[in-house]
Amino acid sequence: MKLREEMPTFDGVTEWVNGEVRKAGLKGSPVLVHYWSISCHACKETLPQLNEWRERYKERGLQVVSIHMPRSEKDMELGPVKAAIKQYELIHPVAIDNGYKLVDAYKNQYVPAYYLFDAEQKLRHYQAGEKGLKMLKKRLDRILMPDEAE
């Protein structure tokens, strides 16, 4: 995806955990779309940071949607994915994308990956890998807390 490109829909999800999300229902709120995989060690290490951001920025209207992207056939087993969602306290909506419909819509290739959309559903920042979390936090601060950003 390119900056300022519009957020894709969430059509074709295999299963939703913690409630289903529709693009229209997110309009007017900034949205952080997060890709992860159960077999990705770095993904698991970054989940506490994701949860912290979800709580820190919720007063500013941030909506978080995670998308589980399987990296192997074993990653498509729903039971372990749901157990990981519970274990890592992902209480926001999580799409399980075993058909790669969202992966294709976002043209996503990596986990973890983060897509930050503004309230008009335009892509404002993309970050892949765990190394860029500081950059993503700066962007979150700039978009959601402009008075407090550096």
Side-chain angles (χ1 to χ4, degrees), residues 15-18 36 38 47 51 66 68 78-96:
E15 187 170 332
W16 283 98
V17 178
N18 300 329
W36 69 291
I38 191 170
L47 291 175
N51 289 340
S66 289
H68 181 265
L78 296 179
V81 173
K82 289 179 179 181
I85 291 167
K86 186 173 182 176
Q87 176 186 351
Y88 290 98
E89 300 176 352
L90 302 181
I91 59 173
H92 54 273
V94 180
I96 299 174

Side-chain angles (χ1 to χ4, degrees), residues 3-50:
L3 288 180
R4 303 286 181 196
E5 201 170 322
E6 190 168 327
M7 178 192 300
T9 63
F10 294 100
D11 296 337
V13 169
T14 303
E15 187 170 332
W16 283 98
V17 178
N18 300 329
E20 184 174 345
V21 171
R22 294 270 177 226
K23 179 182 172 182
L26 297 171
K27 189 126 179 108
S29 297
V31 180
L32 179 61
V33 176
H34 158 250
Y35 276 84
W36 69 291
S37 183
I38 191 170
S39 62
C40 168
H41 180 72
C43 294
K44 293 175 186 173
E45 287 184 339
T46 61
L47 291 175
Q49 180 68 65
L50 179 75

Side-chain angles (χ1 to χ4, degrees), residues 83-136:
I85 291 167
K86 186 173 182 176
Q87 176 186 351
Y88 290 98
E89 300 176 352
L90 302 181
I91 59 173
H92 54 273
V94 180
I96 299 174
D97 190 28
N98 285 357
Y100 301 100
K101 301 293 186 192
L102 300 181
V103 168
D104 291 345
Y106 281 78
K107 301 176 186 87
N108 186 62
Q109 301 175 40
Y110 307 103
V111 288
Y114 305 87
Y115 295 81
L116 180 58
F117 295 91
D118 62 20
E120 285 78 44
Q121 300 187 328
K122 303 290 184 200
L123 182 64
R124 295 289 301 273
H125 186 75
Y126 166 75
Q127 193 73 52
E130 71 277 12
K131 301 282 188 215
L133 292 182
K134 285 183 183 174
M135 181 64 76
L136 178 59

Side-chain angles (χ1 to χ4, degrees), residues 48-67:
Q49 180 68 65
L50 179 75
N51 289 340
E52 181 182 314
W53 289 337
R54 182 190 65 227
E55 296 307 311
R56 175 183 172 147
Y57 298 111
K58 72 179 174 185
E59 301 263 328
R60 300 284 180 149
L62 180 68
Q63 301 291 316
V64 176
V65 179
S66 289
I67 300 171

